Amino acid sequence: LFAEAGVQTNEKKRNQILKIGHGGTLDSAAAGVLVVGIGKGTKMLRTMLEGSKKYTAIGMLGKATDTLDATGKVTEEKPYDQVTKGDLENVLQKFTGHIMQVPPLYSALKKDGERLSTLMKRGEAVEAKPARPVRVYSLSLQQFQPPLFTLDVECGGGFYVRSLVSDIGKELSTCATVQELTRTKQGPFTLEEHALHQDKWTIDEIARSLEHCTALLPREPAHKKLKTEHPGETAATCE
């Protein structure tokens, strides 16, 4: 990118480490918003991403997998013909607000320093984590074409949409698994407004995107202390 922009770089500083971090794990099979912090931005991620997350999920009735999504092995199949749109809408009310949720075994949660998903892939026995409190701000059914159904979810941190869809299937006396999952919002960042698609990865487009996102950054304090010329003097402030 520097070469494309015609910017000269300092050869002596090339070996310096540039810190990069992301603001929350996204399932490997999922798509959508994943906020990345670079340099000083890594320290801002926790504060900036305290808000809710939004997802669009397509679930499938009648099948369950070990990963709770389409990437896993089918572990169970049940009839779903009895499920109506009204049944599904009524069930969603039970999963709105402050609820308890058991995280999936295939997850980024860790045991003895290793992710549960890594242990599972190695064939090691893994016990399910206990149910924990999570929050669902809103949950709505967007489409119902059996066996598929589409949900819009707004939730807090630590929430797993895969567990939600699986629990919905059980509540309907069948089973269900996630077929597609897209994160449409993380904190103040949305897929529609702030994501930069790959065909626009140029210096100019990146610069415009960063300028647009600058409005989301915390502002500097209005009052700053001025250095005094002599010790013991009271520092003045300005706006």
Side-chain angles (χ1 to χ4, degrees):
L1 291 176
F2 280 127
E4 183 181 335
V7 177
Q8 293 184 348
T9 57
N10 189 332
E11 295 291 336
K12 295 181 180 179
K13 293 185 177 181
R14 276 198 175 176
N15 292 328
Q16 290 185 347
I17 296 174
L18 180 64
K19 292 183 179 180
I20 299 178
H22 63 80
T25 304
L26 189 63
D27 286 352
S28 58
V33 179
L34 178 64
V35 181
V36 176
I38 301 175
K40 294 181 180 179
T42 57
K43 298 180 180 180
M44 302 169 64
L45 288 173
R46 183 181 296 274
T47 302
M48 291 200 67
L49 302 179
E50 287 179 345
S52 64
K53 303 175 185 179
K54 288 184 178 181
Y55 296 88
T56 297
I58 299 178
M60 174 182 281
L61 296 169
K63 283 188 179 182
T65 68
D66 54 0
T67 60
L68 308 186
D69 64 16
T71 66
K73 297 179 181 178
V74 176
T75 57
E76 188 177 22
E77 294 189 53
K78 285 187 174 182
Y80 58 86
D81 296 342
Q82 75 281 4
V83 179
T84 66
K85 182 179 180 180
D87 293 334
L88 188 48
E89 289 175 330
N90 289 334
V91 162
L92 297 187
Q93 298 177 20
K94 298 182 179 180
F95 295 98
T96 304
H98 294 278
I99 63 173
M100 298 297 290
Q101 184 186 70
V102 177
L105 290 178
Y106 278 89
S107 69
L109 298 179
K110 293 183 178 180
K111 176 187 177 183
D112 299 329
E114 286 195 87
R115 291 186 176 188
L116 297 184
S117 57
T118 302
L119 298 175
M120 291 285 291
K121 290 175 182 178
R122 286 209 303 256
E124 297 185 22
V126 176
E127 292 184 5
K129 294 282 185 179
R132 57 185 186 175
V134 293
R135 186 172 182 181
V136 179
Y137 295 97
S138 64
L139 177 59
S140 59
L141 179 65
Q142 298 302 309
Q143 195 170 12
F144 183 60
Q145 294 181 328
L148 301 179
F149 59 95
T150 303
L151 302 175
D152 275 351
V153 187
E154 182 173 7
C155 58
F159 183 84
Y160 283 90
V161 178
R162 285 181 290 134
S163 290
L164 168 69
V165 170
S166 177
D167 290 341
I168 287 173
K170 294 174 183 176
E171 193 69 28
L172 292 167
S173 300
T174 180
C175 51
T177 188
V178 171
Q179 295 300 293
E180 294 182 25
L181 181 62
T182 304
R183 183 191 285 164
T184 58
K185 174 183 176 291
Q186 184 179 15
F189 300 97
T190 66
L191 185 61
E192 183 177 353
E193 294 181 68
H194 304 107
L196 191 64
H197 295 280
Q198 190 170 354
D199 60 348
K200 294 184 177 181
W201 287 0
T202 65
I203 286 293
D204 290 339
E205 292 290 350
I206 291 173
R208 291 193 192 97
S209 178
L210 291 175
E211 186 176 1
H212 179 52
C213 291
T214 300
L216 302 175
L217 300 178
R219 294 184 177 182
E220 293 290 333
H223 296 274
K224 291 185 179 181
K225 290 185 178 181
L226 296 179
K227 292 183 179 179
T228 56
E229 300 239 348
H230 303 285
E233 289 187 2
T234 303
T237 61
C238 65
E239 288 193 15

